[in-house]
């Protein structure tokens, strides 16, 4: 195991995002953490079922080649107690997930450990922890545990879909839309089509994925999609921004306000990130999804 995480894509994930702990979590949220710990201990030899972000993690870790320096590190960062953490590690081992590091804080927010981990991405079912991570400058999303699970159709292709404004890009243009309406938004973007949008919280994540994509060491590949409510003429600024960043996406969907869920069903991502609850509600029926709780729509 390397003594540092330099040069790796570092993903921190809560136990509920990785595994299905919803039955156990009802005890925890009921305030009886002793009963929760006891139940987890009783089930220590029983592997937990895969959770919403399981496919994402499984495929990311598949980019590591035995005998070569790892390219992806997944760390469990959880409000679980250390005893419950044993079940998390055993479940990971059961599924062949080489997850070796974890931080368990027994009810306290674990987000502050993102900094020493130099994490690029944090996935959690706890909205407070996600908001804290985003405020600290770490890309983060609130995982919906009851999301549909990822398709098994592409075992050697990691598929990720991103919203644009407030996710890949800043919410600069979204603020105009929320304040002044669609016509003002379209005019704003048309006038600034040659000016790159400021970066959003997930710009660096997209960069790291492209780094994995452009230097394959095995059979795994990555396919990305921009799935946005933008339409022409506002599409041009989004594309030109990605060109300015020297980042590519494989597919772009400019939906002009259409519900995203059915389009995502066809793309079949291992995970979808969006800042608006309405888009997430449309998506979770079809694909694993996470709410990026930042930007003007989440104030």
């Amino acid at each position: 195991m390397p003594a540092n995480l330099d040069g790796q894509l570092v993903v921190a994930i809560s136990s509920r995002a990785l595994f299905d702990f919803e039955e156990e979590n009802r005890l925890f949220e009921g305030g009886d953490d002793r009963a929760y710990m006891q139940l987890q201990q009783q089930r220590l030899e029983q592997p937990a079922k895969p959770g919403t972000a399981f496919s994402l993690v499984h495929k990311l870790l598949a980019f590591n080649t035995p005998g070569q320096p790892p390219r992806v590190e997944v760390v469990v960062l959880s409000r679980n107690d250390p005893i419950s953490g044993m079940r998390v590690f055993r479940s990971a081992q059961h599924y062949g997930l080489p997850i070796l590091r974890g931080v368990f804080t027994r009810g306290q927010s674990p987000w502050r450990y993102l900094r020493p981990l130099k994490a690029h991405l944090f996935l959690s079912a706890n909205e407070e922890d996600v908001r804290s991570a985003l405020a600290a400058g770490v890309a983060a999303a609130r995982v919906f545990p009851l999301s549909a699970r990822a398709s098994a159709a592409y075992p050697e292709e990691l598929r990720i879909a991103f919203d644009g404004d407030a996710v890949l890009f800043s919410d600069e243009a979204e603020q105009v839309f929320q304040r002044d309406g669609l016509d003002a938004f379209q005019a704003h973007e048309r006038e600034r089509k040659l000016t790159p949008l400021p970066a959003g919280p997930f710009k660096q994540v997209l960069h790291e994925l492209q780094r994995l994509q452009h230097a394959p060491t095995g059979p795994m590949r990555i396919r990305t999609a921009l799935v946005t409510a933008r339409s022409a003429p506002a599409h041009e600024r989004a594309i030109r921004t990605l060109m300015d960043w020297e980042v590519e996406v494989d597919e772009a969907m400019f939906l002009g306000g259409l519900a995203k869920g059915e389009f995502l069903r066809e793309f079949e991502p291992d995970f979808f990130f969006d800042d608006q609850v309405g888009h997430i509600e449309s998506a979770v029926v079809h694909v694993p999804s996470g709410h990026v709780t930042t930007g003007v729509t989440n104030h």
Side-chain angles (χ1 to χ4, degrees):
M1 194 187 328
N4 63 64
L5 303 176
D6 293 346
Q8 298 182 58
L9 168 58
V10 180
V11 177
I13 187 167
S14 74
S15 54
R16 277 182 68 203
L18 182 58
F19 295 116
D20 182 354
F21 282 149
E22 294 314 292
E23 181 183 348
E24 295 88 343
N25 188 64
R26 284 192 283 272
L27 286 176
F28 188 82
E29 291 187 344
D32 193 346
D33 66 332
R34 286 288 177 185
Y36 172 86
M37 291 168 59
Q38 184 177 12
L39 181 58
Q40 290 283 34
Q41 191 168 2
Q42 289 171 356
R43 295 180 173 180
L44 198 57
E45 305 301 329
Q46 178 182 331
K49 295 178 181 178
T52 304
F54 181 92
S55 180
L56 174 68
V57 167
H58 180 264
K59 289 184 178 180
L60 279 171
L61 288 170
F63 281 90
N64 294 335
T65 303
Q68 300 293 325
R71 307 177 69 199
V72 177
E73 176 81 15
V74 174
V75 181
V76 178
L77 191 60
S78 171
R79 287 177 179 246
N80 259 318
D81 63 280
I83 292 174
S84 303
M86 286 198 298
R87 188 177 180 212
V88 174
F89 278 124
R90 289 193 183 189
S91 297
Q93 184 179 27
H94 170 80
Y95 293 108
L97 300 180
I99 297 175
L100 305 177
R101 291 182 168 98
V103 177
F104 302 93
T105 60
R106 193 176 176 180
Q108 295 297 306
S109 178
W111 71 268
R112 61 191 182 276
Y113 296 110
L114 292 167
R115 286 175 291 204
L117 286 170
K118 300 178 181 177
H120 297 97
L121 175 63
F122 177 49
L123 299 175
S124 173
N126 186 287
E127 182 174 343
E128 177 187 343
D129 292 346
V130 167
R131 287 184 178 271
S132 296
L134 286 162
V138 179
R142 177 192 169 202
V143 171
F144 281 63
L146 299 181
S147 293
R149 297 303 185 251
S151 165
Y154 304 96
E156 295 185 345
E157 188 172 72
L158 171 62
R159 294 183 158 225
I160 303 182
F162 299 93
D163 180 32
D165 297 286
V167 179
L168 290 180
F169 316 127
S170 80
D171 71 336
E172 171 201 286
E174 182 67 30
Q175 292 181 40
V176 175
F177 174 73
Q178 295 292 333
R179 184 182 65 244
D180 301 323
L182 179 59
D183 290 343
F185 166 80
Q186 295 282 31
H188 180 273
E189 294 303 278
R190 185 169 51 246
E191 292 165 4
R192 292 164 178 78
K193 66 182 180 181
L194 299 181
T195 304
L197 283 153
F202 278 73
K203 176 190 176 183
Q204 190 59 39
V205 174
L206 187 58
H207 268 291
E208 292 298 319
L209 291 172
Q210 181 161 288
R211 184 175 60 84
L212 286 177
Q213 189 175 28
H214 286 180
T217 57
M220 291 299 298
R221 296 294 183 267
I222 296 175
R223 190 166 185 84
T224 53
L226 170 65
V227 184
T228 172
R230 285 175 177 251
S231 60
H235 75 294
E236 187 167 339
R237 191 179 185 198
I239 294 297
R240 287 183 177 275
T241 297
L242 295 175
M243 292 168 63
D244 183 77
W245 293 351
E246 298 182 346
V247 173
E248 299 174 352
V249 293
D250 298 293
E251 300 190 21
M253 306 176 199
F254 299 101
L255 301 181
L258 292 175
K260 297 182 179 181
E262 292 186 359
F263 293 89
L264 290 162
R265 180 193 63 204
E266 300 305 318
F267 180 65
E268 298 183 272
D270 294 286
F271 213 85
F272 168 58
F273 297 98
D274 201 293
D275 70 302
Q276 297 197 33
V277 172
H279 295 320
I280 293 294
E281 289 174 345
S282 172
V284 294
V285 180
H286 304 289
V287 300
S289 304
H291 181 206
V292 182
T293 54
T294 190
V296 64
T297 61
N298 292 294
H299 287 170

